[in-house]
Amino acid sequence: MLIHGLQRTRPARVITVVAVLCFVWIWLSNIQGVNLANDLLPSYQRTVPDLIADTGAKAPVKDVRSRIGKVTVAANKLDSDTITRALQSHERHNERHGYIHFIAKNQAVSSLIENDRFHRPKGAWTKPAYLLSIIVAELQKPEEERLEWVYWFDADTLVLNTETPLETFLPPKNSTELNTVDLVITTNWDGLNSGVFALRVSPWSASLLSAVLAYPVYEATRLSKDRFRDQSAFQFLLEGKESPLVETPMASRDHWVKVPMRWFNSLPVNNAFYKNGTWIFGKNMTEGLFDNGTTEVYDDGHGGKVNPWKVMQGDMIVHFAGTSAVRDSWMGPWVERAEAMLPEWNNATTKDVLQEEAAEFWEKTEKQLVIDRAKSKVEEAEKEKARKQKERQDKKAKEEKDKREKERLEKERREKERKVEEKEKKKEAALTAIPKVLKKVAKPTPAVKPAPPPPAPTKAAVNGTKPQNTTAVPGKHAQLL
């Protein structure tokens, strides 16, 4: 904000100040060996030496910063001396190849998400939250300045071979077919393992992490039955039959690839369980369980077959997943081995072998992706054809339904009109009949002449004698005959 204000008022002064700062920076870096780049970063972006004890390591062999970064959460119970020494092994690796390492020391999410039925240490969901924040921040930078990939490393990972660069395991940049690959992850007997994986800095990665972070909220019932936390979210989203990714082209399988576990996620045991089902990491590590990195394996009752995840000499990483209850016992001897940097473990020979292996792997993957995409296009074309056909059928059905409805409404209208017309005719007929009725009522009727009163009785009648006949003489009064 301060510099922004200066730029608007005194640009010449700003340029001068910046030039002086750059000169001082270069002078101190070259003359005194001070890493001001880290000192000026906010705490959540500083590399390991700023967050843990000084390793006393020499200046980076690789002066140019790589466009690959690392991300780790070392919160709660992971903030221990053993984890600090493990992170120092990463720092030696970072200095060798120029990697920036983002390390979170504090929990970043609330109980809305951190709601674990096993009451395990909190911090697992800070992992996708922290990763998401870094990828989103990188996406806001100009493309030529941002990181291209970030590797997630659980805090209980240990770098055994600092000579192996992370670039070895990523899809080649010159492959257009592999440019859609955004996630590189390993798998073992439990399915996908989210202890170590690589994410391309891309909108797809940000979207995936958003879905992972929302999993405890929108899939709370499912999570209550899951064995793992963020790992179960990755498993469901990437391979679950009810995952929303299933509805995307190729179910988004062109965006992520499973790679050999020993590339960057080796385990310190050949099997996690004894033949009788007992969890090997349930107890402290014994001398016999301290693997020597060869085909010689501990007798766990499974017959001695070497599994593809067992650590071998020259492997870059060993991951102590599942050892939280006895972590110091398991990690301690391995930390000392890593710090000794023995040539059979820390050498460039393995790097050369891995580069050939990775090149062959990605070549096969590229060919398979071409086949899968072609197949997907056919499937999508068939789906589109079926969709359009259904759309036409639905349209026709709707038109027929609308036609029937229109006919019904027309019929109702006509019937209504007929009834109205009939009613009007009756009304008209009634109105026509009214004058006739009124006329008939108004016509005068002849007066009825009242009957003459009966003649008065004569005296003879009164006296009981027979009345005498009389004859009227015209013009004269009637005479009694």
Side-chain angles (χ1 to χ4, degrees), residues 57 64 121 125 156 187 202 310 359 372 417-418:
V64 180
W125 297 102
D156 57 357
T187 183
S202 70
K310 190 193 88 71
D372 291 344
E417 286 181 353
R418 185 189 66 77

Side-chain angles (χ1 to χ4, degrees), residues 381-397:
E382 290 176 352
K383 286 182 182 179
E384 182 65 13
K385 183 179 179 181
R387 186 189 66 78
K388 288 184 177 180
Q389 184 177 357
K390 187 176 184 303
E391 193 177 81
R392 287 193 296 269
Q393 291 173 345
D394 291 345
K395 183 179 179 182
K396 184 177 180 181

